[in-house]
């Protein structure tokens, strides 16, 4: 389940040479935060994860920018076979650009990208799952993290207060013109 209000970041970039398989040397990459409501091969429920998504155009599926150049971005081929968890217990994943982009498609590249992750440790995750009965935080509840944790229910506030670690990373883009 996608955990709104978290952001998703998808882009196309070069991929290593495919050598004898003769695949296109471009790959779709993506990063998204999810709540696993069911067990998958690489994720246990209930739990929050930051996933890395990767698929090559010729890997098949709905996502193929060579055979479907007008609509490839609308079908990102998200499935349980191409999701790889990078970090457990990520409650928030937020991407912001400078200057701010007004839409998902723009002909102006941003100068920089800032990524924010809000993470809890395993003990806090276990306590949160007990308080929530294994259910995901609502999008409204996630929206209060990290700045307004006291606006959550008393039980959730008691679990999260002082236990959410927020990490920021700003990357200047080399291809800015």
């Amino acid at each position: 389940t996608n955990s709104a209000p978290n952001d998703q970041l998808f882009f196309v970039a070069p991929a290593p040479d495919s050598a004898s398989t003769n695949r296109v040397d471009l790959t779709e990459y993506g990063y998204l935060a999810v709540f696993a409501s069911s067990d998958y091969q690489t994720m246990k429920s209930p739990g929050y994860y930051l996933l890395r998504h990767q698929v090559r155009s010729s890997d098949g599926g709905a996502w193929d920018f060579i055979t479907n150049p007008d609509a490839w971005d609308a079908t990102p081929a998200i499935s349980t076979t191409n999701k790889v968890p990078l970090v457990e217990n990520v409650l928030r994943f937020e991407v912001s650009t400078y200057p701010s982009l007004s839409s998902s498609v723009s002909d102006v590249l941003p100068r920089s990208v800032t990524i924010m992750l809000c993470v809890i440790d395993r003990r806090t995750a276990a306590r949160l799952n007990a308080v929530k009965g294994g259910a995901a935080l609502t999008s409204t509840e996630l929206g209060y993290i990290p700045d307004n944790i006291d606006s959550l229910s008393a039980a959730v506030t008691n679990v999260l207060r002082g236990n959410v670690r927020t990490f920021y990373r700003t990357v200047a883009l080399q291809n800015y013109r």
Side-chain angles (χ1 to χ4, degrees):
T1 305
N2 182 17
S3 300
N6 286 308
D7 290 332
Q8 298 180 14
L9 177 64
F10 284 82
F11 55 94
V12 176
D17 187 6
S18 60
S20 63
T21 58
N22 199 28
R23 293 182 175 173
V24 175
D25 291 330
L26 292 175
T27 297
E28 178 197 45
Y29 296 95
Y31 296 89
L32 61 156
V34 298
F35 177 79
S37 55
S38 301
D39 287 342
Y40 296 101
Q41 292 176 344
T42 56
M43 297 179 280
K44 298 288 184 195
S45 70
Y48 292 89
Y49 295 88
L50 177 66
L51 303 182
R52 179 175 148 192
H53 165 85
Q54 178 181 359
V55 64
R56 278 193 161 174
S57 176
S58 57
D59 284 346
W63 185 85
D64 190 333
F65 61 89
I66 299 298
T67 61
N68 191 13
D70 296 325
W72 65 267
D73 58 334
T75 54
I78 298 172
S79 73
T80 58
T81 59
N82 58 18
K83 295 177 189 174
V84 179
L86 289 179
V87 184
E88 292 180 338
N89 303 319
V90 173
L91 299 179
R92 288 293 311 273
F93 173 64
E94 185 175 292
V95 178
S96 57
T97 61
Y98 176 81
S100 180
L101 299 177
S102 59
S103 70
S104 61
V105 177
S106 176
D107 60 355
V108 178
L109 294 173
R111 293 181 187 192
S112 65
V113 175
T114 300
I115 297 170
M116 178 193 74
L117 288 178
C118 294
V119 182
I120 55 177
D121 62 32
R122 287 184 181 179
R123 283 189 192 149
T124 303
R127 290 177 53 215
L128 180 61
N129 284 330
V131 166
K132 293 290 291 179
L137 291 168
T138 66
S139 60
T140 301
E141 290 172 317
L142 287 169
Y144 291 133
I145 299 169
D147 298 324
N148 297 308
I149 289 176
D150 290 335
S151 298
L152 297 165
S153 69
V156 173
T157 296
N158 288 337
V159 170
L160 295 181
R161 187 184 295 127
N163 293 314
V164 176
R165 301 293 177 249
T166 304
F167 302 93
Y168 293 92
R169 177 69 176 191
T170 300
V171 178
L173 301 178
Q174 294 178 355
N175 56 355
Y176 174 75
R177 291 192 172 109

